[in-house]
Coordinates of all heavy atoms in Angstrom, one line a residue:
Q1182 N -3.5 6.4 -14.1 CA -3.8 7.0 -12.7 C -2.5 7.3 -12.0 O -1.5 6.6 -12.2 CB -4.7 6.0 -11.9 CG -6.0 5.7 -12.5 CD -6.9 7.0 -12.4 OE1 -7.0 7.7 -11.4 NE2 -7.5 7.3 -13.5
Y1183 N -2.5 8.3 -11.2 CA -1.3 8.7 -10.5 C -1.0 7.8 -9.3 O -1.9 7.5 -8.5 CB -1.6 10.2 -10.0 CG -0.4 10.8 -9.3 CD1 0.8 11.0 -9.9 CD2 -0.5 11.1 -7.9 CE1 1.9 11.6 -9.3 CE2 0.6 11.7 -7.3 CZ 1.8 11.9 -7.9 OH 2.8 12.4 -7.3
V1184 N 0.3 7.5 -9.1 CA 0.8 6.8 -8.0 C 2.1 7.4 -7.6 O 2.9 7.6 -8.4 CB 1.0 5.3 -8.3 CG1 1.6 4.5 -7.1 CG2 -0.3 4.6 -8.8
A1185 N 2.3 7.7 -6.3 CA 3.5 8.3 -5.9 C 4.1 7.5 -4.7 O 3.3 7.0 -3.8 CB 3.3 9.7 -5.4
V1186 N 5.4 7.4 -4.6 CA 6.1 6.9 -3.5 C 6.7 8.1 -2.8 O 7.4 8.9 -3.3 CB 7.3 6.0 -3.9 CG1 8.1 5.5 -2.7 CG2 6.8 4.8 -4.8
E1187 N 6.3 8.2 -1.5 CA 6.7 9.4 -0.7 C 7.4 8.9 0.6 O 6.9 7.9 1.2 CB 5.5 10.2 -0.3 CG 4.6 10.7 -1.4 CD 5.1 11.9 -2.2 OE1 6.2 12.4 -1.8 OE2 4.4 12.2 -3.1
Q1188 N 8.5 9.4 0.9 CA 9.2 9.1 2.2 C 9.8 10.3 2.8 O 10.2 11.3 2.2 CB 10.4 8.1 1.9 CG 10.0 6.7 1.6 CD 11.2 5.8 1.4 OE1 12.0 6.0 0.4 NE2 11.5 4.9 2.3
S1189 N 9.8 10.3 4.2 CA 10.4 11.4 4.9 C 10.6 11.0 6.4 O 10.0 10.1 6.9 CB 9.4 12.6 4.9 OG 9.9 13.7 5.6
T1190 N 11.5 11.8 7.0 CA 11.7 11.7 8.4 C 10.9 12.6 9.2 O 11.0 12.7 10.4 CB 13.2 11.9 8.8 OG1 13.6 13.2 8.3 CG2 14.1 10.9 8.1
E1191 N 10.0 13.4 8.5 CA 9.1 14.3 9.1 C 8.2 13.6 10.1 O 7.9 12.4 9.9 CB 8.3 15.0 8.0 CG 7.4 16.1 8.5 CD 6.7 16.8 7.4 OE1 6.9 16.4 6.2 OE2 5.9 17.8 7.7
K1192 N 7.6 14.3 11.1 CA 6.6 13.7 12.0 C 5.6 12.9 11.2 O 4.9 13.5 10.3 CB 6.0 14.8 12.8 CG 5.0 14.3 13.8 CD 4.4 15.4 14.6 CE 3.2 14.9 15.5 NZ 2.5 16.1 16.1
P1193 N 5.4 11.6 11.4 CA 4.5 10.8 10.6 C 3.1 11.4 10.3 O 2.6 11.4 9.2 CB 4.4 9.5 11.3 CG 5.7 9.4 12.0 CD 6.0 10.8 12.4
S1194 N 2.4 11.8 11.4 CA 1.1 12.3 11.2 C 1.0 13.6 10.3 O 0.1 13.7 9.4 CB 0.4 12.7 12.6 OG 1.2 13.7 13.2
T1195 N 2.0 14.5 10.4 CA 2.0 15.6 9.5 C 2.3 15.3 8.1 O 1.7 15.7 7.2 CB 3.1 16.6 10.1 OG1 2.8 16.9 11.4 CG2 3.2 17.9 9.3
F1196 N 3.3 14.4 7.9 CA 3.8 14.0 6.6 C 2.6 13.2 5.9 O 2.3 13.5 4.7 CB 5.0 13.1 6.7 CG 5.5 12.5 5.4 CD1 6.0 13.3 4.5 CD2 5.5 11.1 5.2 CE1 6.5 12.8 3.2 CE2 6.0 10.6 4.0 CZ 6.4 11.5 3.0
I1197 N 2.0 12.3 6.6 CA 1.0 11.5 5.9 C -0.2 12.4 5.5 O -0.7 12.2 4.4 CB 0.5 10.3 6.9 CG1 1.6 9.3 7.1 CG2 -0.8 9.7 6.4 CD1 1.4 8.4 8.3
K1198 N -0.6 13.3 6.4 CA -1.7 14.2 6.1 C -1.4 15.0 4.8 O -2.2 15.2 3.9 CB -2.0 15.1 7.3 CG -3.2 16.0 7.1 CD -3.4 16.7 8.4 CE -4.7 17.5 8.2 NZ -5.1 18.2 9.5
R1199 N -0.2 15.5 4.7 CA 0.2 16.3 3.6 C 0.3 15.6 2.3 O -0.3 16.0 1.3 CB 1.6 17.0 3.9 CG 2.1 17.9 2.8 CD 3.3 18.7 3.2 NE 4.4 17.9 3.8 CZ 5.3 17.3 3.1 NH1 5.2 17.3 1.7 NH2 6.3 16.6 3.7
V1200 N 0.9 14.4 2.3 CA 1.1 13.7 1.0 C -0.1 12.9 0.5 O -0.2 12.6 -0.7 CB 2.4 12.8 1.0 CG1 3.6 13.6 1.2 CG2 2.3 11.7 2.0
T1201 N -1.0 12.7 1.4 CA -2.2 11.9 1.0 C -3.4 12.9 0.8 O -4.5 12.4 0.6 CB -2.7 10.9 2.1 OG1 -3.0 11.6 3.3 CG2 -1.6 9.9 2.4
Q1202 N -3.2 14.2 0.9 CA -4.2 15.2 0.7 C -5.3 15.0 1.7 O -6.5 14.9 1.4 CB -4.8 15.1 -0.7 CG -3.8 15.2 -1.8 CD -3.4 16.6 -2.2 OE1 -4.3 17.5 -2.1 NE2 -2.2 16.9 -2.6
N1203 N -4.9 14.8 3.0 CA -5.9 14.6 4.1 C -6.7 13.3 4.2 O -7.8 13.3 4.7 CB -6.8 15.8 4.2 CG -6.1 17.1 4.5 OD1 -5.2 17.2 5.3 ND2 -6.5 18.1 3.7
A1204 N -6.1 12.3 3.7 CA -6.8 11.0 3.8 C -6.8 10.5 5.2 O -5.9 10.9 6.0 CB -6.0 9.9 2.9
S1205 N -7.8 9.7 5.6 CA -7.9 9.2 6.9 C -7.6 7.8 7.1 O -7.8 7.0 6.2 CB -9.4 9.4 7.4 OG -9.8 10.7 7.3
K1206 N -7.0 7.4 8.2 CA -6.6 6.1 8.5 C -7.9 5.2 8.6 O -8.8 5.6 9.2 CB -5.8 6.0 9.8 CG -5.2 4.7 10.1 CD -4.4 4.8 11.4 CE -3.7 3.5 11.8 NZ -2.9 3.7 13.0
S1207 N -7.8 4.1 7.9 CA -9.0 3.1 7.9 C -8.6 2.0 8.9 O -7.5 1.9 9.4 CB -9.3 2.6 6.5 OG -8.4 1.7 6.1
E1208 N -9.6 1.1 9.1 CA -9.4 -0.1 9.9 C -8.6 -1.1 9.2 O -8.0 -2.0 9.8 CB -10.7 -0.6 10.3 CG -11.5 0.3 11.2 CD -10.9 0.6 12.5 OE1 -10.3 -0.3 13.1 OE2 -10.9 1.8 12.9
A1209 N -8.6 -1.1 7.8 CA -7.9 -2.1 7.0 C -6.4 -2.0 6.9 O -5.9 -0.8 7.0 CB -8.5 -2.1 5.6
A1210 N -5.8 -3.1 6.8 CA -4.3 -3.1 6.6 C -4.1 -4.3 5.6 O -4.8 -5.3 5.6 CB -3.6 -3.4 7.9
D1211 N -3.0 -4.1 4.8 CA -2.7 -5.1 3.8 C -1.3 -5.7 4.1 O -0.4 -4.9 4.4 CB -2.7 -4.5 2.4 CG -4.1 -4.1 2.0 OD1 -5.1 -4.7 2.4 OD2 -4.2 -3.1 1.3
E1212 N -1.2 -7.0 4.0 CA 0.2 -7.7 4.1 C 0.7 -7.7 2.7 O 0.2 -8.4 1.8 CB 0.0 -9.1 4.6 CG 1.3 -9.8 4.9 CD 2.0 -9.2 6.2 OE1 1.4 -8.6 7.0 OE2 3.2 -9.3 6.2
I1213 N 1.8 -6.9 2.5 CA 2.4 -6.8 1.1 C 3.9 -6.9 1.3 O 4.5 -6.2 2.0 CB 2.1 -5.4 0.5 CG1 0.6 -5.2 0.4 CG2 2.7 -5.3 -0.9 CD1 0.2 -3.8 0.1
G1214 N 4.5 -7.9 0.6 CA 5.9 -8.0 0.6 C 6.5 -8.3 2.0 O 7.6 -7.8 2.3
G1215 N 5.7 -9.0 2.8 CA 6.2 -9.3 4.2 C 6.1 -8.2 5.2 O 6.6 -8.3 6.3
R1216 N 5.4 -7.1 4.8 CA 5.2 -6.0 5.7 C 3.7 -5.6 5.8 O 3.0 -5.8 4.8 CB 6.0 -4.8 5.2 CG 7.4 -4.9 5.2 CD 8.1 -3.6 4.8 NE 9.2 -4.0 3.9 CZ 9.7 -3.3 3.0 NH1 9.2 -2.1 2.8 NH2 10.7 -3.7 2.2
T1217 N 3.3 -5.1 6.9 CA 1.9 -4.7 7.0 C 1.8 -3.2 6.7 O 2.4 -2.3 7.4 CB 1.4 -4.9 8.5 OG1 1.6 -6.3 8.8 CG2 0.0 -4.5 8.6
W1218 N 1.0 -2.9 5.7 CA 0.8 -1.5 5.2 C -0.6 -1.1 5.7 O -1.6 -1.8 5.4 CB 0.8 -1.5 3.7 CG 2.2 -1.7 3.1 CD1 2.8 -2.9 3.0 CD2 3.1 -0.7 2.6 NE1 4.0 -2.7 2.4 CE2 4.2 -1.4 2.2 CE3 3.0 0.7 2.5 CZ2 5.3 -0.8 1.6 CZ3 4.1 1.3 1.9 CH2 5.2 0.6 1.5
Q1219 N -0.7 0.0 6.3 CA -2.0 0.6 6.8 C -2.7 1.3 5.7 O -2.0 2.1 4.9 CB -1.7 1.6 8.0 CG -3.0 2.2 8.6 CD -3.9 1.1 9.2 OE1 -3.4 0.4 10.0 NE2 -5.1 1.2 8.8
R1220 N -4.0 1.1 5.5 CA -4.7 1.8 4.5 C -5.2 3.1 5.0 O -5.6 3.3 6.1 CB -5.9 1.0 4.1 CG -5.6 -0.1 3.1 CD -7.0 -0.7 2.6 NE -6.7 -1.8 1.7 CZ -7.5 -2.2 0.7 NH1 -8.6 -1.5 0.5 NH2 -7.2 -3.2 -0.1
Y1221 N -5.1 4.1 4.1 CA -5.7 5.4 4.3 C -6.6 5.7 3.1 O -6.3 5.4 2.0 CB -4.6 6.5 4.4 CG -3.9 6.6 5.7 CD1 -3.0 5.6 6.1 CD2 -4.1 7.7 6.5 CE1 -2.4 5.7 7.3 CE2 -3.4 7.8 7.7 CZ -2.6 6.8 8.1 OH -1.9 6.8 9.3
E1222 N -7.8 6.3 3.4 CA -8.8 6.6 2.4 C -9.1 8.1 2.4 O -9.3 8.7 3.5 CB -10.1 5.8 2.6 CG -9.8 4.3 2.5 CD -11.0 3.4 2.8 OE1 -12.1 4.0 3.0 OE2 -10.9 2.2 2.8
G1223 N -9.2 8.6 1.2 CA -9.5 10.1 1.1 C -10.3 10.4 -0.1 O -10.6 9.6 -0.9
S1224 N -10.8 11.6 -0.1 CA -11.6 12.1 -1.2 C -10.9 12.2 -2.5 O -11.4 12.1 -3.6 CB -12.3 13.4 -0.9 OG -11.4 14.4 -0.6
K1225 N -9.6 12.6 -2.4 CA -8.7 12.7 -3.6 C -7.8 11.6 -3.8 O -7.7 11.0 -4.8 CB -8.0 14.0 -3.5 CG -7.2 14.3 -4.7 CD -6.6 15.7 -4.8 CE -5.9 16.0 -6.1 NZ -5.4 17.3 -6.2
Y1226 N -7.0 11.2 -2.7 CA -6.0 10.2 -2.8 C -6.3 9.1 -1.8 O -6.8 9.4 -0.7 CB -4.6 10.7 -2.5 CG -4.0 11.6 -3.5 CD1 -2.8 12.3 -3.2 CD2 -4.5 11.7 -4.8 CE1 -2.2 13.1 -4.1 CE2 -3.8 12.5 -5.7 CZ -2.7 13.2 -5.4 OH -2.1 14.0 -6.3
D1227 N -6.0 7.8 -2.1 CA -6.0 6.8 -1.2 C -4.5 6.5 -0.9 O -3.6 6.9 -1.7 CB -6.7 5.5 -1.7 CG -8.2 5.7 -1.8 OD1 -8.7 6.4 -0.9 OD2 -8.8 5.1 -2.7
A1228 N -4.1 5.7 0.1 CA -2.7 5.5 0.4 C -2.5 4.2 1.1 O -3.4 3.7 1.8 CB -2.2 6.6 1.2
L1229 N -1.3 3.7 1.0 CA -0.8 2.6 1.9 C 0.4 3.2 2.6 O 1.3 3.8 2.0 CB -0.4 1.4 1.0 CG -1.5 0.7 0.2 CD1 -0.9 -0.3 -0.8 CD2 -2.4 0.0 1.2

């Protein structure tokens, strides 16, 4: 399965929408490696 690490200084909302293929922010968040990652769910890609 495909997994990508994406980073940018672009405006967060624009960047997230583009690299997640329009995934939507969910209510869930995960504590990973001492940081809180917000979950995004989409029809094609999911994301942290």
